[in-house]
Amino acid sequence: GKCADVLPRMPVCPRAGRCFCSRPCQFFRERQDRLKLWSRQHAWLVTTEDKNGQSRWQKLVAVGRDADLPDLEDDFYLGEWLLEIGPLRANGAGHVPVDYAELRAWSGLTGYIPTPFEAVALIEAAREYSRTATESSGKITPAPYSTGAVDRDAVAEQIKAGFRSMMTGNRK
């Protein structure tokens, strides 16, 4: 349940984003979830589906479409901070999400001092970014977020065309 159900008189610490019972409050969980979804969508958009090197974002722009990103509402600056920090770091086997030491270094250099909630949210978002980038790079995967309606007829036609081409290719 909610913290308020368990401890109805306990105040919320807005700086840490947690009730004094130390569990994240609903308000802060929703903000964190929005940032994580935004991060997953951004990572998905900048990765490629195939070997041609064009990101999904570049493909959308090439056909005159905008990329769908969830609205961060008043937390838009957290998305900007995440991209400024750089959500990923290279290591010998690929990439890893930024960690608290890198966040602290960025903070010291820029003068931006994130609250404890913002620091946790940025690290969590970087982890989601890394996971999504790994899972969707070089693969056809569904977008984590979409505002557009699915045209079922167009999808059905694409599936039929795919089967027709497979059948035609097998006869040769």
Side-chain angles (χ1 to χ4, degrees):
K2 296 180 186 174
C3 294
D5 298 338
V6 179
L7 303 166
R9 293 193 181 104
M10 295 301 282
V12 173
C13 174
R15 188 153 170 78
R18 297 180 178 275
C19 288
F20 287 106
C21 66
S22 79
R23 295 193 319 228
C25 294
Q26 182 68 29
F27 172 73
F28 291 101
R29 265 196 310 271
E30 289 171 3
R31 291 175 63 197
Q32 203 169 33
D33 288 346
R34 268 195 311 270
L35 181 62
K36 288 195 281 188
L37 178 59
W38 184 92
S39 180
R40 285 193 307 268
Q41 181 72 1
H42 195 281
W44 181 84
L45 284 166
V46 300
T47 56
T48 61
E49 295 179 318
D50 48 35
K51 304 296 180 204
N52 75 2
Q54 245 189 343
S55 72
R56 291 173 175 92
W57 206 321
Q58 290 169 323
K59 288 179 181 181
L60 287 171
V61 169
V63 295
R65 291 188 49 209
D66 290 329
D68 285 337
L69 281 170
D71 185 7
L72 290 176
E73 299 176 11
D74 291 336
D75 294 326
F76 68 92
Y77 68 97
L78 291 175
E80 291 174 0
W81 283 3
L82 182 66
L83 296 179
E84 186 175 309
I85 296 164
L88 304 175
R89 294 290 176 264
N91 71 3
H95 60 262
V96 294
V98 295
D99 59 23
Y100 285 101
E102 291 161 328
L103 181 59
R104 175 180 259 177
W106 168 83
S107 176
L109 289 170
T110 62
Y112 295 125
I113 303 171
T115 65
F117 160 75
E118 292 166 338
V120 168
L122 287 166
I123 294 299
E124 295 273 332
R127 289 176 182 154
E128 291 289 324
Y129 196 102
S130 176
R131 184 180 61 75
T132 302
T134 299
E135 290 174 356
S136 62
S137 185
K139 301 174 193 135
I140 297 175
T141 57
Y145 172 82
S146 176
T147 57
V150 174
D151 182 353
R152 293 184 184 277
D153 293 335
V155 171
E157 191 54 43
Q158 288 175 346
I159 291 170
K160 287 177 189 175
F163 280 123
R164 277 194 295 269
S165 71
M166 284 186 340
M167 297 303 288
T168 304
N170 288 338
R171 291 184 183 169
K172 289 183 180 180

